[in-house]
Amino acid sequence: MCGTCGCTPLDTPTRLIDPPAGSPALGSPGLGSPGLKVASAGWQPPQTPEHDSVQFQTSLYAHNRQLAMDLRHRLMAERILLFNLVSSPGAGKTTLLLATLRRLAARTKACVIEGDQQTELDALRIRATGTPALQINTGQACHLDAQRVSEALEQLRPETGSLVFIENVGNLICPAHFDLGEALRVVLLSVTEGDDKALKYPDIFASADLVLITKCDLLPYVDFNLAHARANIQKINPNLEVLTSACGRKSNLSAWLSWLTTQQQAFIREHSPNDHPA
């Protein structure tokens, strides 16, 4: 729980918005029964914690880590590959997802968990592509956690072998410390932000599996040095892979789509049952 930003603890109700009747839905029973409802808490002004915040945070993180570990094992057994997309607000997560899902539709099953403090706007955009999506409104909280993700998956019920994308709340601080059970964490950095972003927010870049630099079609019009951005990222995480993308008029998602395909194939190979028992 953040001592200053007003994040809610795990047992505080948040709003989990059901997809409308007749919307696309996946149907594997692997992750539980459908129909789970969580009541809306509504927005409340942040309150100063009354108890020892350090002790509470330690307990919260430990509980979240255990939930995330359990969820990760369940997803491995179902060969469901979960991505956690994290960025500042406006870096292009939803736009990237829309373009990605349209290109993947013919060859793989996918669904999306959308995280925002309020509204269902992004989930509606995702569903318009024919992809099942579930919106989580976090209210005061500035990140998702493993419990909320697990509850969302119980509603979406993704098929074995499918991809699941989490679009986390736009924030580079708290999401760095909350494992969601994902297999891979992707940080988006747009060229409309500073190329020193990794130095300012090192924790999220240190914990990432991939950095995707977005909106690269705007490079001629903004003060962003791609080489400096790569160098700053490598100062934080020398082995971190960095790719570029564009979803505008000069769309270019080839490197990102190739990376997704490679990760999915490797994941399925690693977690497929042994066809040749000893």
Side-chain angles (χ1 to χ4, degrees):
M1 178 175 181
C2 296
T4 56
C5 72
C7 282
T8 50
L10 286 171
D11 59 356
T12 299
T14 56
R15 191 179 182 199
L16 199 64
I17 302 179
D18 290 329
S23 64
L26 298 177
S28 167
L31 288 173
S33 58
L36 182 66
K37 308 271 187 189
V38 179
S40 172
W43 187 89
Q44 297 293 332
Q47 298 179 359
T48 302
E50 298 178 358
H51 304 293
D52 186 336
S53 62
V54 174
Q55 180 180 356
F56 185 81
Q57 284 181 17
T58 301
S59 175
L60 174 61
Y61 291 147
H63 181 58
N64 185 80
R65 280 195 300 270
Q66 185 60 54
L67 289 174
M69 187 181 303
D70 293 343
L71 177 58
R72 185 173 289 109
H73 288 316
R74 289 162 56 197
L75 293 173
M76 286 178 180
E78 291 288 325
R79 301 191 298 285
I80 295 169
L81 184 53
L82 180 63
F83 297 89
N84 181 10
L85 273 56
V86 184
S87 78
S88 302
K93 296 189 299 297
T94 308
T95 301
L96 176 74
L97 278 175
L98 291 171
T100 300
L101 293 166
R102 292 187 184 107
R103 286 164 173 79
L104 292 178
R107 65 175 189 262
T108 190
K109 293 289 187 179
C111 60
V112 177
I113 298 170
E114 284 288 344
D116 284 299
Q117 285 191 296
Q118 299 293 342
T119 81
E120 197 180 0
L121 296 174
D122 286 347
L124 291 172
R125 294 182 180 108
I126 296 296
R127 289 180 201 135
T129 70
T131 304
L134 192 143
Q135 183 78 50
I136 302 176
N137 286 162
T138 59
Q140 297 175 38
C142 58
H143 59 85
L144 295 176
D145 55 49
Q147 178 173 312
R148 291 163 180 152
V149 170
S150 181
E151 291 166 351
L153 286 168
E154 287 179 352
Q155 289 205 42
L156 287 167
R157 306 174 74 197
E159 293 182 9
T160 297
S162 61
L163 304 181
V164 180
F165 297 94
I166 301 169
E167 182 177 345
N168 215 321
V169 180
N171 178 12
L172 289 178
I173 302 173
C174 290
H177 305 291
F178 280 82
D179 185 354
L180 303 184
E182 70 266 27
L184 295 161
R185 179 175 292 185
V186 180
V187 176
L188 277 63
L189 169 63
S190 75
V191 302
T192 55
E193 305 173 72
D195 51 33
D196 57 357
K197 181 78 63 158
L199 303 180
K200 294 179 177 180
Y201 300 91
D203 287 358
I204 193 67
F205 288 89
S207 68
D209 297 288
L210 174 75
V211 172
L212 186 64
I213 300 179
T214 62
K215 306 185 183 182
C216 287
D217 50 322
L218 299 180
L219 276 171
Y221 313 105
V222 295
D223 184 16
F224 185 96
N225 189 304
L226 193 55
H228 289 171
R230 290 179 181 272
N232 288 331
I233 291 167
Q234 290 176 350
K235 288 177 184 177
I236 303 302
N237 190 340
N239 299 316
L240 186 56
E241 188 172 4
V242 180
L243 301 177
T244 60
S245 71
C247 297
R249 291 182 179 178
K250 297 181 179 180
S251 178
N252 186 351
L253 294 177
S254 56
W256 161 246
L257 293 173
S258 176
W259 183 84
L260 282 178
T261 300
T262 299
Q263 297 304 320
Q264 184 182 29
Q265 291 173 348
F267 183 82
I268 290 175
R269 279 198 307 269
E270 182 178 356
H271 299 291
S272 291
N274 191 346
D275 294 330
H276 305 285

